[in-house]
Amino acid sequence: MMDLVKLPALLLCAALASGCSSVVQLNVRHAPQIDLGAAQTLTVQDFSVSGQVDLAVGGEGDVLRNLLTRTIASSLAAPADVNVQKQHHTALVEALLRNGHFKVSEGAGEVRLSGHVAYKVQDALSEKEWKDTQSGDKKERYTLTRTTTAEVSFQVADAQGVVLGAARVSESMQRKWEGKDAQEVRKAAENQSVADDVLKVVSATAAPLVNRIAPYFVLESRTLEDGDSKRIAEGNKAAEAGRWDEAARAWQPFLSSHVAEDRNAALYNLSVYDEYNGQLEAALMKLEQLYNATLQARYAAAADRMRQRIEEMRRLHASEQARAAAQQH
């Protein structure tokens, strides 16, 4: 089964930039971390939620009073757990539907997804001294950095409750406010909704979670090699424009070139052509040939990446066969 959607190659460097390497993008299919075999329907349970919010509020003065103020403000700013739970459930179902590998069942699916969402919001106020260039006076500048993180621990179990796999995913974001006065910086931060940031980060965990349990596509870049010949460069430009067969015809004659740079460039670029066409074993053979001839680390790394892709495709093929067999019964 072809694992590369034949999208036109994307030119990633500006045409005006002289000497810029040719870069193409391939839409690469990856296998999930957790193999759910023949399962086709999945039930998403409500995940439990816990959170911690620590805001930089208050100022100079009584330590106990400021601690109490900070605790109360943090508690009021925290989103309700039920809202986080609903947001996570909605985002996760939407991500599963976009992926399309599983049907989402409101009843008892073949497998069920459950887990826990833990979020954390933490403010850090820092002070930096600087010198006024006009007066020569030393002054302070304050920076408040708010870091919002969400970690989702989940497991997938079959209808009998047997756990098929478990993993964790996490997302984070930062906001910064700067100013000459600490109180002004704190007040500026208070205008940003903590709850909104939490819900946004929690939603962002849905896509990577789905990628752990379902096949997915990722655009991956490959940098073509230039060689010494103008003809190879012409082939690279054809690949950038999506004219892959034309590019391959341009590279092919250089496989027997007496110029090592051209020979290696042609062999590597043709390995990318093979990968584009889903011919992963052929791509691996070319990369191993390159490494054996040059002993260069970049070719060894490319060969390792290809071996991993081949193994992923083997697992995907086995899973698809199991699903097809299940549908026949």
Side-chain angles (χ1 to χ4, degrees):
M1 182 175 183
M2 182 96 42
D3 69 312
L4 296 178
V5 175
K6 295 199 172 184
L7 298 177
L10 300 180
L11 179 58
L12 296 187
C13 48
L16 296 178
S18 61
C20 183
S21 297
S22 298
V23 181
V24 295
Q25 286 190 327
L26 304 181
N27 204 23
V28 179
R29 193 180 189 214
H30 285 286
Q33 176 182 337
I34 301 173
D35 185 4
L36 298 183
Q40 298 178 56
T41 59
L42 185 149
T43 301
V44 181
Q45 298 182 326
D46 287 335
F47 282 43
S48 58
V49 175
S50 64
Q52 178 183 343
V53 179
D54 186 7
L55 302 183
V57 298
E60 305 298 329
D62 183 80
V63 175
L64 291 177
R65 184 186 65 212
N66 287 340
L67 179 61
L68 180 61
T69 301
R70 186 168 184 162
T71 302
I72 294 173
S74 298
S75 176
L76 293 175
D81 286 357
V82 66
N83 291 340
V84 177
Q85 188 180 67
K86 288 180 179 178
Q87 182 72 14
H88 176 262
H89 187 276
T90 298
L92 187 49
V93 169
E94 289 177 350
L96 284 163
L97 293 176
R98 284 195 302 271
N99 178 277
H101 187 71
F102 295 107
K103 294 179 180 178
V104 180
S105 171
E106 294 183 0
E110 295 167 276
V111 293
R112 63 174 183 266
L113 187 60
S114 61
H116 180 74
V117 179
Y119 68 85
K120 183 176 182 179
V121 183
Q122 188 164 28
D123 283 355
L125 185 64
S126 61
E127 177 183 347
K128 185 177 181 179
E129 192 176 77
W130 61 285
K131 190 174 183 180
D132 190 311
T133 55
Q134 294 182 343
S135 66
D137 295 336
K138 291 184 178 180
K139 297 184 178 181
E140 288 74 35
R141 188 166 188 84
Y142 298 88
T143 300
L144 192 154
T145 303
R146 175 169 296 164
T147 304
T148 306
T149 61
E151 182 178 83
V152 179
S153 306
F154 70 93
Q155 66 178 24
V156 191
D158 63 16
Q160 287 72 44
V162 177
V163 176
L164 304 176
R168 293 182 180 182
V169 296
S170 62
E171 291 289 334
S172 65
M173 63 178 289
Q174 277 192 344
R175 295 187 185 276
K176 289 188 177 183
W177 296 267
E178 293 184 342
K180 300 177 182 178
D181 182 81
Q183 279 299 105
E184 290 181 0
V185 170
R186 290 190 182 99
K187 288 180 180 179
E190 289 173 8
N191 293 328
Q192 175 61 45
S193 170
V194 170
D196 286 350
D197 284 354
V198 170
L199 297 179
K200 183 180 295 184
V201 172
V202 166
S203 293
T205 63
L209 192 157
V210 172
N211 291 349
R212 298 292 195 279
I213 62 173
Y216 61 99
F217 284 92
V218 173
L219 281 176
E220 295 186 1
S221 298
R222 302 287 184 263
T223 301
L224 301 176
E225 298 199 354
D226 296 328
D228 190 50
S229 171
K230 184 178 180 180
R231 182 65 177 144
I232 290 180
E234 291 173 353
N236 293 357
K237 293 301 179 184
E240 287 178 340
R243 303 192 304 274
W244 281 95
D245 290 342
E246 177 185 333
R249 288 193 297 270
W251 299 325
Q252 191 76 33
F254 291 94
L255 291 178
S256 56
S257 173
H258 66 281
V259 180
E261 187 178 0
D262 286 342
R263 190 169 59 249
N264 293 341
L267 192 57
Y268 179 80
N269 292 351
L270 284 167
S271 78
V272 178
Y273 173 73
D274 288 338
E275 185 180 11
Y276 167 77
N277 281 311
Q279 305 299 318
L280 304 185
E281 294 285 355
L284 176 59
M285 288 180 62
K286 290 180 176 63
L287 293 171
E288 289 178 334
Q289 183 180 341
L290 272 169
Y291 176 68
N292 290 334
T294 66
L295 298 181
Q296 293 188 24
R298 70 176 187 273
Y299 296 135
D304 286 342
R305 182 192 69 227
M306 196 59 58
R307 292 188 192 96
Q308 182 178 348
R309 288 216 53 216
I310 291 170
E311 172 58 24
E312 285 191 74
M313 291 310 299
R314 184 197 64 76
R315 290 192 284 117
L316 279 171
H317 182 63
S319 177
E320 287 165 354
Q321 285 185 319
R323 287 163 65 90
Q327 284 182 324
Q328 294 176 357
H329 293 84

mmCIF file of all heavy atoms in Angstrom, residues 17-53:
data_model
loop_
_atom_site.group_PDB
_atom_site.id
_atom_site.type_symbol
_atom_site.label_atom_id
_atom_site.label_comp_id
_atom_site.label_asym_id
_atom_site.label_seq_id
_atom_site.Cartn_x
_atom_site.Cartn_y
_atom_site.Cartn_z
ATOM 1 N N ALA A 17 17.464 33.497 -3.121
ATOM 2 C CA ALA A 17 18.599 33.154 -2.251
ATOM 3 C C ALA A 17 19.559 32.263 -3.008
ATOM 4 O O ALA A 17 19.311 31.086 -3.199
ATOM 5 C CB ALA A 17 18.104 32.448 -0.982
ATOM 6 N N SER A 18 20.647 32.825 -3.471
ATOM 7 C CA SER A 18 21.618 32.073 -4.253
ATOM 8 C C SER A 18 22.282 31.019 -3.390
ATOM 9 O O SER A 18 22.587 31.242 -2.228
ATOM 10 C CB SER A 18 22.662 33.023 -4.833
ATOM 11 O OG SER A 18 23.350 33.690 -3.786
ATOM 12 N N GLY A 19 22.526 29.831 -4.002
ATOM 13 C CA GLY A 19 23.210 28.764 -3.282
ATOM 14 C C GLY A 19 22.332 28.052 -2.276
ATOM 15 O O GLY A 19 22.822 27.255 -1.492
ATOM 16 N N CYS A 20 21.031 28.320 -2.287
ATOM 17 C CA CYS A 20 20.136 27.681 -1.326
ATOM 18 C C CYS A 20 19.904 26.229 -1.714
ATOM 19 O O CYS A 20 19.659 25.931 -2.881
ATOM 20 C CB CYS A 20 18.814 28.439 -1.279
ATOM 21 S SG CYS A 20 17.667 27.778 -0.072
ATOM 22 N N SER A 21 20.003 25.298 -0.762
ATOM 23 C CA SER A 21 19.804 23.886 -1.057
ATOM 24 C C SER A 21 18.355 23.624 -1.437
ATOM 25 O O SER A 21 17.443 24.319 -0.987
ATOM 26 C CB SER A 21 20.178 23.044 0.166
ATOM 27 O OG SER A 21 21.546 23.202 0.472
ATOM 28 N N SER A 22 18.164 22.613 -2.259
ATOM 29 C CA SER A 22 16.820 22.213 -2.665
ATOM 30 C C SER A 22 16.201 21.349 -1.572
ATOM 31 O O SER A 22 16.789 20.341 -1.166
ATOM 32 C CB SER A 22 16.874 21.439 -3.979
ATOM 33 O OG SER A 22 17.382 22.253 -5.014
ATOM 34 N N VAL A 23 15.027 21.731 -1.095
ATOM 35 C CA VAL A 23 14.335 21.007 -0.035
ATOM 36 C C VAL A 23 12.946 20.633 -0.522
ATOM 37 O O VAL A 23 12.224 21.470 -1.052
ATOM 38 C CB VAL A 23 14.232 21.847 1.263
ATOM 39 C CG1 VAL A 23 13.535 21.066 2.364
ATOM 40 C CG2 VAL A 23 15.610 22.294 1.714
ATOM 41 N N VAL A 24 12.592 19.371 -0.354
ATOM 42 C CA VAL A 24 11.253 18.906 -0.699
ATOM 43 C C VAL A 24 10.591 18.376 0.559
ATOM 44 O O VAL A 24 11.265 18.057 1.542
ATOM 45 C CB VAL A 24 11.299 17.810 -1.787
ATOM 46 C CG1 VAL A 24 11.833 18.368 -3.104
ATOM 47 C CG2 VAL A 24 12.148 16.624 -1.326
ATOM 48 N N GLN A 25 9.272 18.295 0.517
ATOM 49 C CA GLN A 25 8.531 17.748 1.652
ATOM 50 C C GLN A 25 7.746 16.524 1.204
ATOM 51 O O GLN A 25 7.107 16.529 0.147
ATOM 52 C CB GLN A 25 7.593 18.790 2.253
ATOM 53 C CG GLN A 25 8.326 19.857 3.056
ATOM 54 C CD GLN A 25 7.375 20.732 3.833
ATOM 55 O OE1 GLN A 25 6.264 20.997 3.405
ATOM 56 N NE2 GLN A 25 7.825 21.197 4.983
ATOM 57 N N LEU A 26 7.800 15.491 2.032
ATOM 58 C CA LEU A 26 7.066 14.263 1.780
ATOM 59 C C LEU A 26 6.008 14.073 2.866
ATOM 60 O O LEU A 26 6.279 14.314 4.048
ATOM 61 C CB LEU A 26 8.014 13.064 1.781
ATOM 62 C CG LEU A 26 9.209 13.119 0.813
ATOM 63 C CD1 LEU A 26 10.028 11.849 0.940
ATOM 64 C CD2 LEU A 26 8.761 13.346 -0.612
ATOM 65 N N ASN A 27 4.829 13.658 2.476
ATOM 66 C CA ASN A 27 3.770 13.390 3.436
ATOM 67 C C ASN A 27 3.918 11.933 3.893
ATOM 68 O O ASN A 27 3.494 11.005 3.204
ATOM 69 C CB ASN A 27 2.405 13.627 2.794
ATOM 70 C CG ASN A 27 1.346 13.944 3.819
ATOM 71 O OD1 ASN A 27 1.645 14.409 4.924
ATOM 72 N ND2 ASN A 27 0.097 13.715 3.481
ATOM 73 N N VAL A 28 4.550 11.756 5.031
ATOM 74 C CA VAL A 28 4.990 10.438 5.475
ATOM 75 C C VAL A 28 4.008 9.846 6.481
ATOM 76 O O VAL A 28 3.616 10.498 7.449
ATOM 77 C CB VAL A 28 6.392 10.528 6.112
ATOM 78 C CG1 VAL A 28 6.847 9.156 6.601
ATOM 79 C CG2 VAL A 28 7.390 11.079 5.096
ATOM 80 N N ARG A 29 3.621 8.605 6.234
ATOM 81 C CA ARG A 29 2.702 7.906 7.136
ATOM 82 C C ARG A 29 3.494 7.204 8.228
ATOM 83 O O ARG A 29 4.470 6.496 7.947
ATOM 84 C CB ARG A 29 1.874 6.889 6.358
ATOM 85 C CG ARG A 29 0.679 6.342 7.149
ATOM 86 C CD ARG A 29 -0.094 5.350 6.310
ATOM 87 N NE ARG A 29 -1.345 4.966 6.961
ATOM 88 C CZ ARG A 29 -1.876 3.755 6.870
ATOM 89 N NH1 ARG A 29 -1.279 2.817 6.147
ATOM 90 N NH2 ARG A 29 -3.023 3.480 7.467
ATOM 91 N N HIS A 30 3.051 7.391 9.467
ATOM 92 C CA HIS A 30 3.724 6.776 10.611
ATOM 93 C C HIS A 30 2.774 5.844 11.353
ATOM 94 O O HIS A 30 1.559 6.080 11.411
ATOM 95 C CB HIS A 30 4.230 7.848 11.572
ATOM 96 C CG HIS A 30 5.448 8.560 11.080
ATOM 97 N ND1 HIS A 30 6.706 7.990 11.076
ATOM 98 C CD2 HIS A 30 5.612 9.798 10.549
ATOM 99 C CE1 HIS A 30 7.584 8.839 10.579
ATOM 100 N NE2 HIS A 30 6.939 9.951 10.254
ATOM 101 N N ALA A 31 3.366 4.817 11.941
ATOM 102 C CA ALA A 31 2.597 3.872 12.754
ATOM 103 C C ALA A 31 2.430 4.419 14.167
ATOM 104 O O ALA A 31 3.283 5.153 14.661
ATOM 105 C CB ALA A 31 3.311 2.523 12.805
ATOM 106 N N PRO A 32 1.332 4.069 14.840
ATOM 107 C CA PRO A 32 1.144 4.532 16.225
ATOM 108 C C PRO A 32 2.076 3.802 17.185
ATOM 109 O O PRO A 32 2.584 2.717 16.879
ATOM 110 C CB PRO A 32 -0.322 4.185 16.505
ATOM 111 C CG PRO A 32 -0.589 3.003 15.625
ATOM 112 C CD PRO A 32 0.212 3.236 14.376
ATOM 113 N N GLN A 33 2.268 4.400 18.338
ATOM 114 C CA GLN A 33 3.100 3.776 19.371
ATOM 115 C C GLN A 33 2.406 2.555 19.953
ATOM 116 O O GLN A 33 3.044 1.559 20.282
ATOM 117 C CB GLN A 33 3.380 4.807 20.471
ATOM 118 C CG GLN A 33 4.144 4.272 21.666
ATOM 119 C CD GLN A 33 4.327 5.348 22.736
ATOM 120 O OE1 GLN A 33 4.280 6.528 22.477
ATOM 121 N NE2 GLN A 33 4.524 4.912 23.961
ATOM 122 N N ILE A 34 1.083 2.641 20.092
ATOM 123 C CA ILE A 34 0.292 1.558 20.676
ATOM 124 C C ILE A 34 -0.526 0.900 19.577
ATOM 125 O O ILE A 34 -1.356 1.547 18.938
ATOM 126 C CB ILE A 34 -0.642 2.086 21.787
ATOM 127 C CG1 ILE A 34 0.179 2.754 22.895
ATOM 128 C CG2 ILE A 34 -1.494 0.970 22.357
ATOM 129 C CD1 ILE A 34 -0.661 3.460 23.940
ATOM 130 N N ASP A 35 -0.293 -0.372 19.335
ATOM 131 C CA ASP A 35 -0.990 -1.110 18.285
ATOM 132 C C ASP A 35 -2.277 -1.700 18.856
ATOM 133 O O ASP A 35 -2.240 -2.534 19.760
ATOM 134 C CB ASP A 35 -0.082 -2.224 17.739
ATOM 135 C CG ASP A 35 -0.705 -2.960 16.567
ATOM 136 O OD1 ASP A 35 -1.803 -2.560 16.125
ATOM 137 O OD2 ASP A 35 -0.095 -3.933 16.095
ATOM 138 N N LEU A 36 -3.411 -1.264 18.315
ATOM 139 C CA LEU A 36 -4.706 -1.750 18.796
ATOM 140 C C LEU A 36 -5.281 -2.836 17.896
ATOM 141 O O LEU A 36 -6.476 -3.140 17.948
ATOM 142 C CB LEU A 36 -5.680 -0.579 18.928
ATOM 143 C CG LEU A 36 -5.258 0.497 19.935
ATOM 144 C CD1 LEU A 36 -6.311 1.581 20.053
ATOM 145 C CD2 LEU A 36 -4.969 -0.115 21.297
ATOM 146 N N GLY A 37 -4.438 -3.400 17.054
ATOM 147 C CA GLY A 37 -4.833 -4.565 16.272
ATOM 148 C C GLY A 37 -6.033 -4.321 15.377
ATOM 149 O O GLY A 37 -6.072 -3.362 14.613
ATOM 150 N N ALA A 38 -7.038 -5.200 15.499
ATOM 151 C CA ALA A 38 -8.197 -5.155 14.606
ATOM 152 C C ALA A 38 -9.281 -4.188 15.076
ATOM 153 O O ALA A 38 -10.304 -4.047 14.404
ATOM 154 C CB ALA A 38 -8.785 -6.561 14.470
ATOM 155 N N ALA A 39 -9.084 -3.532 16.210
ATOM 156 C CA ALA A 39 -10.123 -2.643 16.756
ATOM 157 C C ALA A 39 -10.480 -1.533 15.777
ATOM 158 O O ALA A 39 -9.610 -0.933 15.161
ATOM 159 C CB ALA A 39 -9.653 -2.045 18.079
ATOM 160 N N GLN A 40 -11.793 -1.267 15.647
ATOM 161 C CA GLN A 40 -12.263 -0.231 14.736
ATOM 162 C C GLN A 40 -13.156 0.804 15.408
ATOM 163 O O GLN A 40 -13.331 1.894 14.878
ATOM 164 C CB GLN A 40 -13.015 -0.876 13.565
ATOM 165 C CG GLN A 40 -12.124 -1.810 12.749
ATOM 166 C CD GLN A 40 -12.869 -2.487 11.626
ATOM 167 O OE1 GLN A 40 -13.468 -1.811 10.791
ATOM 168 N NE2 GLN A 40 -12.840 -3.813 11.606
ATOM 169 N N THR A 41 -13.740 0.464 16.549
ATOM 170 C CA THR A 41 -14.572 1.424 17.280
ATOM 171 C C THR A 41 -13.964 1.693 18.645
ATOM 172 O O THR A 41 -13.444 0.780 19.300
ATOM 173 C CB THR A 41 -16.010 0.907 17.456
ATOM 174 O OG1 THR A 41 -15.980 -0.337 18.183
ATOM 175 C CG2 THR A 41 -16.674 0.698 16.102
ATOM 176 N N LEU A 42 -14.032 2.939 19.065
ATOM 177 C CA LEU A 42 -13.368 3.371 20.297
ATOM 178 C C LEU A 42 -14.308 4.263 21.102
ATOM 179 O O LEU A 42 -14.970 5.140 20.541
ATOM 180 C CB LEU A 42 -12.078 4.115 19.949
ATOM 181 C CG LEU A 42 -11.151 4.557 21.071
ATOM 182 C CD1 LEU A 42 -9.709 4.548 20.592
ATOM 183 C CD2 LEU A 42 -11.504 5.962 21.541
ATOM 184 N N THR A 43 -14.367 4.029 22.390
ATOM 185 C CA THR A 43 -15.166 4.850 23.308
ATOM 186 C C THR A 43 -14.235 5.743 24.118
ATOM 187 O O THR A 43 -13.253 5.268 24.688
ATOM 188 C CB THR A 43 -15.984 3.975 24.276
ATOM 189 O OG1 THR A 43 -16.855 3.127 23.525
ATOM 190 C CG2 THR A 43 -16.816 4.839 25.207
ATOM 191 N N VAL A 44 -14.542 7.040 24.159
ATOM 192 C CA VAL A 44 -13.740 8.000 24.931
ATOM 193 C C VAL A 44 -14.453 8.287 26.243
ATOM 194 O O VAL A 44 -15.541 8.866 26.261
ATOM 195 C CB VAL A 44 -13.525 9.313 24.155
ATOM 196 C CG1 VAL A 44 -12.673 10.281 24.981
ATOM 197 C CG2 VAL A 44 -12.866 9.041 22.810
ATOM 198 N N GLN A 45 -13.858 7.873 27.338
ATOM 199 C CA GLN A 45 -14.422 8.163 28.650
ATOM 200 C C GLN A 45 -13.968 9.537 29.122
ATOM 201 O O GLN A 45 -12.980 10.085 28.627
ATOM 202 C CB GLN A 45 -13.992 7.081 29.646
ATOM 203 C CG GLN A 45 -14.485 5.688 29.284
ATOM 204 C CD GLN A 45 -14.100 4.645 30.312
ATOM 205 O OE1 GLN A 45 -13.042 4.731 30.928
ATOM 206 N NE2 GLN A 45 -14.951 3.649 30.499
ATOM 207 N N ASP A 46 -14.701 10.106 30.092
ATOM 208 C CA ASP A 46 -14.287 11.379 30.674
ATOM 209 C C ASP A 46 -13.030 11.163 31.518
ATOM 210 O O ASP A 46 -13.011 10.311 32.408
ATOM 211 C CB ASP A 46 -15.401 11.956 31.555
ATOM 212 C CG ASP A 46 -16.562 12.492 30.738
ATOM 213 O OD1 ASP A 46 -16.340 12.857 29.570
ATOM 214 O OD2 ASP A 46 -17.685 12.543 31.266
ATOM 215 N N PHE A 47 -11.996 11.932 31.233
ATOM 216 C CA PHE A 47 -10.752 11.830 31.988
ATOM 217 C C PHE A 47 -10.903 12.580 33.318
ATOM 218 O O PHE A 47 -11.573 13.615 33.386
ATOM 219 C CB PHE A 47 -9.606 12.438 31.195
ATOM 220 C CG PHE A 47 -9.068 11.557 30.097
ATOM 221 C CD1 PHE A 47 -9.917 10.844 29.265
ATOM 222 C CD2 PHE A 47 -7.702 11.449 29.894
ATOM 223 C CE1 PHE A 47 -9.426 10.044 28.247
ATOM 224 C CE2 PHE A 47 -7.192 10.644 28.875
ATOM 225 C CZ PHE A 47 -8.058 9.936 28.052
ATOM 226 N N SER A 48 -10.277 12.077 34.360
ATOM 227 C CA SER A 48 -10.223 12.817 35.618
ATOM 228 C C SER A 48 -9.276 14.007 35.457
ATOM 229 O O SER A 48 -8.437 14.022 34.556
ATOM 230 C CB SER A 48 -9.772 11.910 36.763
ATOM 231 O OG SER A 48 -8.509 11.343 36.472
ATOM 232 N N VAL A 49 -9.417 15.003 36.325
ATOM 233 C CA VAL A 49 -8.672 16.256 36.185
ATOM 234 C C VAL A 49 -8.105 16.691 37.525
ATOM 235 O O VAL A 49 -8.762 16.573 38.562
ATOM 236 C CB VAL A 49 -9.578 17.383 35.629
ATOM 237 C CG1 VAL A 49 -8.825 18.712 35.591
ATOM 238 C CG2 VAL A 49 -10.076 17.025 34.237
ATOM 239 N N SER A 50 -6.882 17.194 37.517
ATOM 240 C CA SER A 50 -6.311 17.873 38.684
ATOM 241 C C SER A 50 -5.470 19.029 38.176
ATOM 242 O O SER A 50 -4.931 18.979 37.083
ATOM 243 C CB SER A 50 -5.457 16.914 39.528
ATOM 244 O OG SER A 50 -4.335 16.465 38.793
ATOM 245 N N GLY A 51 -5.397 20.093 38.968
ATOM 246 C CA GLY A 51 -4.647 21.258 38.519
ATOM 247 C C GLY A 51 -3.983 22.011 39.647
ATOM 248 O O GLY A 51 -4.361 21.894 40.814
ATOM 249 N N GLN A 52 -2.967 22.785 39.275
ATOM 250 C CA GLN A 52 -2.234 23.612 40.230
ATOM 251 C C GLN A 52 -1.967 24.967 39.588
ATOM 252 O O GLN A 52 -1.426 25.040 38.485
ATOM 253 C CB GLN A 52 -0.918 22.937 40.614
ATOM 254 C CG GLN A 52 -0.059 23.738 41.573
ATOM 255 C CD GLN A 52 1.268 23.049 41.862
ATOM 256 O OE1 GLN A 52 1.431 21.860 41.603
ATOM 257 N NE2 GLN A 52 2.216 23.801 42.387
ATOM 258 N N VAL A 53 -2.368 26.027 40.265
ATOM 259 C CA VAL A 53 -2.164 27.385 39.764
ATOM 260 C C VAL A 53 -1.401 28.179 40.806
ATOM 261 O O VAL A 53 -1.810 28.252 41.967
ATOM 262 C CB VAL A 53 -3.502 28.086 39.439
ATOM 263 C CG1 VAL A 53 -3.250 29.504 38.947
ATOM 264 C CG2 VAL A 53 -4.282 27.283 38.404
#
